[in-house]
Amino acid sequence: MLFTSYSFIAFMTIVFVLYYLVPKSCQWPLLLVFSYIFYFIADPRYLIFILVTTISTYLISLKMNQINMAQDKFIKEFKGNLSREQKKNYKSHMKHKKWIWLLICLFINIGILSVTKYTNFVIQNINDMLHGVSGLHTVNMIVPMGISFYTFQTMGYIIDVYRGKQSVEKNFFKLALFVSFFPQLVQGPISRFHDLSETLFSKHYFESNVVVSGLMRILWGYFKKVVIADRIITGVTTLIHSPSEYQGAYVFVAMLFYAFELYCDFTGGIDITIGIAEVMGIRVTENFNLPYFSKNIKEYWNRWHITMGTWFTDYIFYPISVCKPMLNLSKFSRKHFGEVIGKRVTVYLSAFVVWFTTGLWHGAAWNFIVWGLMNFVVIMVSQELEPLYEKFHKRFSVKGKVPYEAFQILRTFLLMSCIRMFDCYRDVPLTFKMVGTMFTKFNIGELFNGSLLSIGLSVADYVVLIVGFIVVFTVSLFKVRVGNVRTVLLQKPPIVYFGIMAVMIMLIMVFGAYGIGYDSSQFIYNQF
């Protein structure tokens, strides 16, 4: 059931109405029921996977809590008879028991994710290495919708329970709602339990300003998705799927088109997700913060898919960088290769693992892995060049000035868009070849001979896209300089914001995927 389908709009309307009609104590159970209905409609078989994840995580979290209670009871009873060393050893023993249970939970759930998503990738690579003589055949594997999102979200919870940063949720059905909350199943964000639970299980009364604000955000998401992303995807598909015909300047156009398509598609979906939750008084973590205004790639990844970045940082980068083998490697490197190299080894190796995993998380294909490693290379090179940047800024007083900041933003946007081409062509050698043609076969005259009207976009489409881009850019600029547009609008008379909402609905219906000749496509991140 697509977010942009009529069936989902009807589904969402029913949920909203019932949510405020049922007794307040029944609001979160109602959401659990509808979340499972939503998942069941997608494919009844998916329920098996999400239930296994939920049940295993619930039982193992209770086991960890049981170990913690036994530890507290033992220490309290024998506090006066235990030496400091005995107490330390006992705690270490109990922590090891929790570690074993954590590994079991990770093995079950990361195992499900790995088997469903990466089995065919492994088989294909084995066949390639053995030139097809392995006798292995790919299998028709079910990949449950949103499995990467809810698996990471759930594993974040169990790791926090292990670390003692999160108390155990003893109500199975509350944990089940946290795992399956339907707006997040399609493309995230990857919420933390302590953040989402603050409002997910609370009693919510109808507040007109909250509901209107949420509806405005939903409409804004629909505008970006069905008016811009679903329109420009026609041109992107034509340019990408005919690499022999469209090279040089056309690759540059495809790069720009895809950058705007991906942004409007992904942020549009997140706007719908957060808007749905907001209508019901539930706060969902923001996942974007104007990433195309970033001045460098590190800043970009602090603004783009924020919850994914923080998840990889908290649960992969930091644990790897401070684990005992890594600390020993750091000590060895400092001793044999010097302080300069030694202090970088653990950071670079940990970052390499993070970006390799990030690429693999995005898709079971080498183009995604190379995409992740390209980000790693650029970020590491940028960090190594920081002393040169500092010298440049001391010599030339350009830092903080508008022209230079505009250059930094443009540079970051183009660099990220170029790396993102691995996501477009889905073939590593072909991607390098096509990006190369931008420098060897670039002929700007090709863009003004009418050929851009033969890629599935008409003059009217380009007009709508240009106006749409201007609107998105203006709203983003307004947010930078003034603040949230919805907050400002809600301070105006109701006729103003209701009028704007009516105009938005009309624009979506006339110029979006609901208009003649258009068909709403899947969200790009729905594949994860």
PDB file of all heavy atoms in Angstrom, residues 49 52-53 56 102-119 141-142 144 147 150-152 155:
ATOM      1  N   PHE A  49       8.264 -12.594   9.838  1.00  0.00           N
ATOM      2  CA  PHE A  49       9.601 -12.037  10.087  1.00  0.00           C
ATOM      3  C   PHE A  49       9.574 -10.983  11.191  1.00  0.00           C
ATOM      4  O   PHE A  49      10.421 -11.000  12.086  1.00  0.00           O
ATOM      5  CB  PHE A  49      10.149 -11.433   8.789  1.00  0.00           C
ATOM      6  CG  PHE A  49      10.389 -12.438   7.703  1.00  0.00           C
ATOM      7  CD1 PHE A  49       9.408 -12.723   6.763  1.00  0.00           C
ATOM      8  CD2 PHE A  49      11.586 -13.120   7.621  1.00  0.00           C
ATOM      9  CE1 PHE A  49       9.622 -13.654   5.761  1.00  0.00           C
ATOM     10  CE2 PHE A  49      11.825 -14.056   6.629  1.00  0.00           C
ATOM     11  CZ  PHE A  49      10.835 -14.328   5.696  1.00  0.00           C
ATOM     12  N   VAL A  52       9.011 -12.622  14.610  1.00  0.00           N
ATOM     13  CA  VAL A  52      10.212 -13.293  15.119  1.00  0.00           C
ATOM     14  C   VAL A  52      11.163 -12.261  15.727  1.00  0.00           C
ATOM     15  O   VAL A  52      11.717 -12.460  16.814  1.00  0.00           O
ATOM     16  CB  VAL A  52      10.917 -14.090  14.001  1.00  0.00           C
ATOM     17  CG1 VAL A  52      12.298 -14.563  14.475  1.00  0.00           C
ATOM     18  CG2 VAL A  52      10.070 -15.280  13.581  1.00  0.00           C
ATOM     19  N   THR A  53      11.348 -11.145  15.028  1.00  0.00           N
ATOM     20  CA  THR A  53      12.213 -10.080  15.543  1.00  0.00           C
ATOM     21  C   THR A  53      11.676  -9.530  16.856  1.00  0.00           C
ATOM     22  O   THR A  53      12.428  -9.357  17.831  1.00  0.00           O
ATOM     23  CB  THR A  53      12.315  -8.942  14.510  1.00  0.00           C
ATOM     24  OG1 THR A  53      13.003  -9.411  13.353  1.00  0.00           O
ATOM     25  CG2 THR A  53      13.070  -7.748  15.081  1.00  0.00           C
ATOM     26  N   SER A  56      11.729 -12.414  19.789  1.00  0.00           N
ATOM     27  CA  SER A  56      13.087 -12.725  20.238  1.00  0.00           C
ATOM     28  C   SER A  56      13.690 -11.563  21.016  1.00  0.00           C
ATOM     29  O   SER A  56      14.334 -11.772  22.059  1.00  0.00           O
ATOM     30  CB  SER A  56      13.976 -13.077  19.043  1.00  0.00           C
ATOM     31  OG  SER A  56      14.070 -11.984  18.139  1.00  0.00           O
ATOM     32  N   LEU A 102      22.891 -11.124  24.231  1.00  0.00           N
ATOM     33  CA  LEU A 102      22.904 -10.092  23.188  1.00  0.00           C
ATOM     34  C   LEU A 102      23.346 -10.683  21.858  1.00  0.00           C
ATOM     35  O   LEU A 102      22.738 -10.411  20.812  1.00  0.00           O
ATOM     36  CB  LEU A 102      23.836  -8.940  23.591  1.00  0.00           C
ATOM     37  CG  LEU A 102      24.045  -7.843  22.529  1.00  0.00           C
ATOM     38  CD1 LEU A 102      22.737  -7.114  22.238  1.00  0.00           C
ATOM     39  CD2 LEU A 102      25.124  -6.853  22.966  1.00  0.00           C
ATOM     40  N   LEU A 103      24.405 -11.496  21.888  1.00  0.00           N
ATOM     41  CA  LEU A 103      24.887 -12.129  20.661  1.00  0.00           C
ATOM     42  C   LEU A 103      23.822 -13.032  20.047  1.00  0.00           C
ATOM     43  O   LEU A 103      23.667 -13.075  18.821  1.00  0.00           O
ATOM     44  CB  LEU A 103      26.147 -12.943  20.948  1.00  0.00           C
ATOM     45  CG  LEU A 103      27.424 -12.151  21.248  1.00  0.00           C
ATOM     46  CD1 LEU A 103      28.584 -13.109  21.500  1.00  0.00           C
ATOM     47  CD2 LEU A 103      27.766 -11.206  20.104  1.00  0.00           C
ATOM     48  N   ILE A 104      23.071 -13.733  20.876  1.00  0.00           N
ATOM     49  CA  ILE A 104      21.998 -14.600  20.367  1.00  0.00           C
ATOM     50  C   ILE A 104      20.942 -13.768  19.658  1.00  0.00           C
ATOM     51  O   ILE A 104      20.485 -14.115  18.559  1.00  0.00           O
ATOM     52  CB  ILE A 104      21.363 -15.405  21.522  1.00  0.00           C
ATOM     53  CG1 ILE A 104      22.376 -16.415  22.070  1.00  0.00           C
ATOM     54  CG2 ILE A 104      20.097 -16.121  21.053  1.00  0.00           C
ATOM     55  CD1 ILE A 104      21.900 -17.125  23.331  1.00  0.00           C
ATOM     56  N   CYS A 105      20.576 -12.634  20.271  1.00  0.00           N
ATOM     57  CA  CYS A 105      19.563 -11.751  19.671  1.00  0.00           C
ATOM     58  C   CYS A 105      20.064 -11.170  18.358  1.00  0.00           C
ATOM     59  O   CYS A 105      19.333 -11.131  17.358  1.00  0.00           O
ATOM     60  CB  CYS A 105      19.201 -10.631  20.647  1.00  0.00           C
ATOM     61  SG  CYS A 105      17.742  -9.681  20.164  1.00  0.00           S
ATOM     62  N   LEU A 106      21.302 -10.722  18.351  1.00  0.00           N
ATOM     63  CA  LEU A 106      21.876 -10.166  17.127  1.00  0.00           C
ATOM     64  C   LEU A 106      21.997 -11.237  16.048  1.00  0.00           C
ATOM     65  O   LEU A 106      21.731 -10.972  14.868  1.00  0.00           O
ATOM     66  CB  LEU A 106      23.258  -9.566  17.412  1.00  0.00           C
ATOM     67  CG  LEU A 106      23.291  -8.334  18.324  1.00  0.00           C
ATOM     68  CD1 LEU A 106      24.732  -7.920  18.595  1.00  0.00           C
ATOM     69  CD2 LEU A 106      22.530  -7.175  17.704  1.00  0.00           C
ATOM     70  N   PHE A 107      22.378 -12.435  16.463  1.00  0.00           N
ATOM     71  CA  PHE A 107      22.518 -13.529  15.501  1.00  0.00           C
ATOM     72  C   PHE A 107      21.177 -13.849  14.841  1.00  0.00           C
ATOM     73  O   PHE A 107      21.100 -14.049  13.619  1.00  0.00           O
ATOM     74  CB  PHE A 107      23.067 -14.771  16.205  1.00  0.00           C
ATOM     75  CG  PHE A 107      23.172 -15.965  15.305  1.00  0.00           C
ATOM     76  CD1 PHE A 107      24.235 -16.091  14.425  1.00  0.00           C
ATOM     77  CD2 PHE A 107      22.205 -16.964  15.338  1.00  0.00           C
ATOM     78  CE1 PHE A 107      24.342 -17.195  13.584  1.00  0.00           C
ATOM     79  CE2 PHE A 107      22.297 -18.073  14.505  1.00  0.00           C
ATOM     80  CZ  PHE A 107      23.371 -18.183  13.625  1.00  0.00           C
ATOM     81  N   ILE A 108      20.116 -13.884  15.640  1.00  0.00           N
ATOM     82  CA  ILE A 108      18.790 -14.199  15.098  1.00  0.00           C
ATOM     83  C   ILE A 108      18.335 -13.123  14.118  1.00  0.00           C
ATOM     84  O   ILE A 108      17.948 -13.419  12.979  1.00  0.00           O
ATOM     85  CB  ILE A 108      17.756 -14.339  16.234  1.00  0.00           C
ATOM     86  CG1 ILE A 108      18.065 -15.579  17.078  1.00  0.00           C
ATOM     87  CG2 ILE A 108      16.339 -14.432  15.661  1.00  0.00           C
ATOM     88  CD1 ILE A 108      17.223 -15.675  18.344  1.00  0.00           C
ATOM     89  N   ASN A 109      18.416 -11.876  14.533  1.00  0.00           N
ATOM     90  CA  ASN A 109      17.788 -10.803  13.762  1.00  0.00           C
ATOM     91  C   ASN A 109      18.668 -10.259  12.636  1.00  0.00           C
ATOM     92  O   ASN A 109      18.178 -10.018  11.533  1.00  0.00           O
ATOM     93  CB  ASN A 109      17.352  -9.684  14.704  1.00  0.00           C
ATOM     94  CG  ASN A 109      16.244 -10.149  15.631  1.00  0.00           C
ATOM     95  OD1 ASN A 109      15.124 -10.364  15.204  1.00  0.00           O
ATOM     96  ND2 ASN A 109      16.560 -10.330  16.902  1.00  0.00           N
ATOM     97  N   ILE A 110      19.964 -10.079  12.921  1.00  0.00           N
ATOM     98  CA  ILE A 110      20.867  -9.721  11.825  1.00  0.00           C
ATOM     99  C   ILE A 110      20.967 -10.889  10.853  1.00  0.00           C
ATOM    100  O   ILE A 110      21.127 -10.699   9.641  1.00  0.00           O
ATOM    101  CB  ILE A 110      22.263  -9.337  12.359  1.00  0.00           C
ATOM    102  CG1 ILE A 110      22.170  -8.135  13.313  1.00  0.00           C
ATOM    103  CG2 ILE A 110      23.206  -9.004  11.207  1.00  0.00           C
ATOM    104  CD1 ILE A 110      21.635  -6.873  12.686  1.00  0.00           C
ATOM    105  N   GLY A 111      20.823 -12.119  11.394  1.00  0.00           N
ATOM    106  CA  GLY A 111      20.831 -13.295  10.538  1.00  0.00           C
ATOM    107  C   GLY A 111      19.652 -13.303   9.574  1.00  0.00           C
ATOM    108  O   GLY A 111      19.807 -13.610   8.389  1.00  0.00           O
ATOM    109  N   ILE A 112      18.463 -12.964  10.076  1.00  0.00           N
ATOM    110  CA  ILE A 112      17.283 -12.896   9.209  1.00  0.00           C
ATOM    111  C   ILE A 112      17.486 -11.853   8.118  1.00  0.00           C
ATOM    112  O   ILE A 112      17.217 -12.093   6.935  1.00  0.00           O
ATOM    113  CB  ILE A 112      16.018 -12.553  10.036  1.00  0.00           C
ATOM    114  CG1 ILE A 112      15.677 -13.710  10.974  1.00  0.00           C
ATOM    115  CG2 ILE A 112      14.838 -12.251   9.116  1.00  0.00           C
ATOM    116  CD1 ILE A 112      14.561 -13.391  11.946  1.00  0.00           C
ATOM    117  N   LEU A 113      17.979 -10.688   8.522  1.00  0.00           N
ATOM    118  CA  LEU A 113      18.242  -9.619   7.558  1.00  0.00           C
ATOM    119  C   LEU A 113      19.258 -10.068   6.511  1.00  0.00           C
ATOM    120  O   LEU A 113      19.070  -9.847   5.309  1.00  0.00           O
ATOM    121  CB  LEU A 113      18.751  -8.372   8.295  1.00  0.00           C
ATOM    122  CG  LEU A 113      19.236  -7.199   7.433  1.00  0.00           C
ATOM    123  CD1 LEU A 113      18.087  -6.635   6.601  1.00  0.00           C
ATOM    124  CD2 LEU A 113      19.850  -6.106   8.298  1.00  0.00           C
ATOM    125  N   SER A 114      20.321 -10.706   6.963  1.00  0.00           N
ATOM    126  CA  SER A 114      21.391 -11.133   6.053  1.00  0.00           C
ATOM    127  C   SER A 114      20.919 -12.199   5.080  1.00  0.00           C
ATOM    128  O   SER A 114      21.207 -12.134   3.879  1.00  0.00           O
ATOM    129  CB  SER A 114      22.586 -11.657   6.856  1.00  0.00           C
ATOM    130  OG  SER A 114      23.082 -10.656   7.728  1.00  0.00           O
ATOM    131  N   VAL A 115      20.190 -13.186   5.584  1.00  0.00           N
ATOM    132  CA  VAL A 115      19.725 -14.286   4.735  1.00  0.00           C
ATOM    133  C   VAL A 115      18.753 -13.780   3.683  1.00  0.00           C
ATOM    134  O   VAL A 115      18.854 -14.113   2.493  1.00  0.00           O
ATOM    135  CB  VAL A 115      19.084 -15.403   5.583  1.00  0.00           C
ATOM    136  CG1 VAL A 115      18.375 -16.420   4.681  1.00  0.00           C
ATOM    137  CG2 VAL A 115      20.140 -16.104   6.431  1.00  0.00           C
ATOM    138  N   THR A 116      17.777 -12.976   4.106  1.00  0.00           N
ATOM    139  CA  THR A 116      16.753 -12.520   3.164  1.00  0.00           C
ATOM    140  C   THR A 116      17.299 -11.534   2.142  1.00  0.00           C
ATOM    141  O   THR A 116      16.907 -11.555   0.977  1.00  0.00           O
ATOM    142  CB  THR A 116      15.580 -11.859   3.907  1.00  0.00           C
ATOM    143  OG1 THR A 116      16.071 -10.773   4.722  1.00  0.00           O
ATOM    144  CG2 THR A 116      14.861 -12.861   4.796  1.00  0.00           C
ATOM    145  N   LYS A 117      18.233 -10.711   2.578  1.00  0.00           N
ATOM    146  CA  LYS A 117      18.670  -9.609   1.715  1.00  0.00           C
ATOM    147  C   LYS A 117      19.960  -9.904   0.944  1.00  0.00           C
ATOM    148  O   LYS A 117      20.149  -9.373  -0.159  1.00  0.00           O
ATOM    149  CB  LYS A 117      18.840  -8.344   2.564  1.00  0.00           C
ATOM    150  CG  LYS A 117      18.967  -7.062   1.765  1.00  0.00           C
ATOM    151  CD  LYS A 117      18.927  -5.855   2.691  1.00  0.00           C
ATOM    152  CE  LYS A 117      19.111  -4.557   1.917  1.00  0.00           C
ATOM    153  NZ  LYS A 117      19.074  -3.371   2.798  1.00  0.00           N
ATOM    154  N   TYR A 118      20.825 -10.765   1.492  1.00  0.00           N
ATOM    155  CA  TYR A 118      22.161 -10.894   0.907  1.00  0.00           C
ATOM    156  C   TYR A 118      22.507 -12.296   0.404  1.00  0.00           C
ATOM    157  O   TYR A 118      23.612 -12.496  -0.104  1.00  0.00           O
ATOM    158  CB  TYR A 118      23.217 -10.437   1.930  1.00  0.00           C
ATOM    159  CG  TYR A 118      22.997  -9.028   2.389  1.00  0.00           C
ATOM    160  CD1 TYR A 118      22.478  -8.754   3.651  1.00  0.00           C
ATOM    161  CD2 TYR A 118      23.267  -7.949   1.541  1.00  0.00           C
ATOM    162  CE1 TYR A 118      22.256  -7.448   4.071  1.00  0.00           C
ATOM    163  CE2 TYR A 118      23.044  -6.649   1.950  1.00  0.00           C
ATOM    164  CZ  TYR A 118      22.538  -6.402   3.219  1.00  0.00           C
ATOM    165  OH  TYR A 118      22.305  -5.113   3.624  1.00  0.00           O
ATOM    166  N   THR A 119      21.607 -13.251   0.536  1.00  0.00           N
ATOM    167  CA  THR A 119      21.902 -14.616   0.083  1.00  0.00           C
ATOM    168  C   THR A 119      22.262 -14.646  -1.401  1.00  0.00           C
ATOM    169  O   THR A 119      23.290 -15.206  -1.799  1.00  0.00           O
ATOM    170  CB  THR A 119      20.706 -15.544   0.342  1.00  0.00           C
ATOM    171  OG1 THR A 119      20.488 -15.643   1.757  1.00  0.00           O
ATOM    172  CG2 THR A 119      20.970 -16.935  -0.223  1.00  0.00           C
ATOM    173  N   MET A 141      13.957 -15.303  -2.881  1.00  0.00           N
ATOM    174  CA  MET A 141      13.928 -14.977  -1.458  1.00  0.00           C
ATOM    175  C   MET A 141      12.948 -13.839  -1.173  1.00  0.00           C
ATOM    176  O   MET A 141      12.892 -12.849  -1.896  1.00  0.00           O
ATOM    177  CB  MET A 141      15.327 -14.570  -0.999  1.00  0.00           C
ATOM    178  CG  MET A 141      15.466 -14.401   0.505  1.00  0.00           C
ATOM    179  SD  MET A 141      15.393 -15.971   1.383  1.00  0.00           S
ATOM    180  CE  MET A 141      16.910 -16.756   0.808  1.00  0.00           C
ATOM    181  N   ILE A 142      12.180 -13.997  -0.100  1.00  0.00           N
ATOM    182  CA  ILE A 142      11.297 -12.923   0.346  1.00  0.00           C
ATOM    183  C   ILE A 142      12.124 -11.888   1.093  1.00  0.00           C
ATOM    184  O   ILE A 142      12.888 -12.231   2.002  1.00  0.00           O
ATOM    185  CB  ILE A 142      10.206 -13.469   1.288  1.00  0.00           C
ATOM    186  CG1 ILE A 142       9.342 -14.502   0.571  1.00  0.00           C
ATOM    187  CG2 ILE A 142       9.336 -12.332   1.811  1.00  0.00           C
ATOM    188  CD1 ILE A 142       8.354 -15.192   1.497  1.00  0.00           C
ATOM    189  N   PRO A 144      11.238  -8.838   3.323  1.00  0.00           N
ATOM    190  CA  PRO A 144      10.134  -8.101   3.933  1.00  0.00           C
ATOM    191  C   PRO A 144      10.315  -6.587   3.818  1.00  0.00           C
ATOM    192  O   PRO A 144      11.436  -6.073   3.914  1.00  0.00           O
ATOM    193  CB  PRO A 144      10.186  -8.539   5.400  1.00  0.00           C
ATOM    194  CG  PRO A 144      10.870  -9.868   5.366  1.00  0.00           C
ATOM    195  CD  PRO A 144      11.877  -9.768   4.265  1.00  0.00           C
ATOM    196  N   ILE A 147      12.646  -4.145   6.234  1.00  0.00           N
ATOM    197  CA  ILE A 147      13.343  -5.002   7.201  1.00  0.00           C
ATOM    198  C   ILE A 147      14.628  -4.363   7.721  1.00  0.00           C
ATOM    199  O   ILE A 147      14.982  -4.517   8.887  1.00  0.00           O
ATOM    200  CB  ILE A 147      13.631  -6.394   6.591  1.00  0.00           C
ATOM    201  CG1 ILE A 147      14.237  -7.322   7.667  1.00  0.00           C
ATOM    202  CG2 ILE A 147      14.537  -6.303   5.368  1.00  0.00           C
ATOM    203  CD1 ILE A 147      14.371  -8.764   7.230  1.00  0.00           C
ATOM    204  N   TYR A 150      13.384  -1.696  10.520  1.00  0.00           N
ATOM    205  CA  TYR A 150      12.895  -2.177  11.816  1.00  0.00           C
ATOM    206  C   TYR A 150      13.915  -3.079  12.512  1.00  0.00           C
ATOM    207  O   TYR A 150      13.943  -3.157  13.746  1.00  0.00           O
ATOM    208  CB  TYR A 150      11.516  -2.832  11.703  1.00  0.00           C
ATOM    209  CG  TYR A 150      11.425  -4.203  11.084  1.00  0.00           C
ATOM    210  CD1 TYR A 150      11.925  -5.337  11.739  1.00  0.00           C
ATOM    211  CD2 TYR A 150      10.771  -4.401   9.865  1.00  0.00           C
ATOM    212  CE1 TYR A 150      11.808  -6.606  11.188  1.00  0.00           C
ATOM    213  CE2 TYR A 150      10.639  -5.672   9.307  1.00  0.00           C
ATOM    214  CZ  TYR A 150      11.158  -6.767   9.967  1.00  0.00           C
ATOM    215  OH  TYR A 150      11.031  -8.025   9.432  1.00  0.00           O
ATOM    216  N   THR A 151      14.793  -3.750  11.737  1.00  0.00           N
ATOM    217  CA  THR A 151      15.842  -4.562  12.367  1.00  0.00           C
ATOM    218  C   THR A 151      16.838  -3.669  13.090  1.00  0.00           C
ATOM    219  O   THR A 151      17.196  -3.924  14.253  1.00  0.00           O
ATOM    220  CB  THR A 151      16.563  -5.428  11.321  1.00  0.00           C
ATOM    221  OG1 THR A 151      15.629  -6.318  10.705  1.00  0.00           O
ATOM    222  CG2 THR A 151      17.668  -6.246  11.975  1.00  0.00           C
ATOM    223  N   PHE A 152      17.291  -2.625  12.425  1.00  0.00           N
ATOM    224  CA  PHE A 152      18.248  -1.715  13.063  1.00  0.00           C
ATOM    225  C   PHE A 152      17.618  -1.005  14.260  1.00  0.00           C
ATOM    226  O   PHE A 152      18.266  -0.792  15.287  1.00  0.00           O
ATOM    227  CB  PHE A 152      18.750  -0.684  12.044  1.00  0.00           C
ATOM    228  CG  PHE A 152      19.946  -1.151  11.265  1.00  0.00           C
ATOM    229  CD1 PHE A 152      20.086  -2.474  10.902  1.00  0.00           C
ATOM    230  CD2 PHE A 152      20.943  -0.261  10.897  1.00  0.00           C
ATOM    231  CE1 PHE A 152      21.192  -2.914  10.186  1.00  0.00           C
ATOM    232  CE2 PHE A 152      22.063  -0.689  10.187  1.00  0.00           C
ATOM    233  CZ  PHE A 152      22.180  -2.014   9.828  1.00  0.00           C
ATOM    234  N   MET A 155      17.458  -3.627  17.054  1.00  0.00           N
ATOM    235  CA  MET A 155      18.779  -3.964  17.571  1.00  0.00           C
ATOM    236  C   MET A 155      19.372  -2.794  18.367  1.00  0.00           C
ATOM    237  O   MET A 155      20.133  -3.006  19.317  1.00  0.00           O
ATOM    238  CB  MET A 155      19.711  -4.367  16.429  1.00  0.00           C
ATOM    239  CG  MET A 155      19.313  -5.678  15.734  1.00  0.00           C
ATOM    240  SD  MET A 155      19.152  -7.094  16.850  1.00  0.00           S
ATOM    241  CE  MET A 155      17.363  -7.070  17.204  1.00  0.00           C
TER     242      MET A 155
END
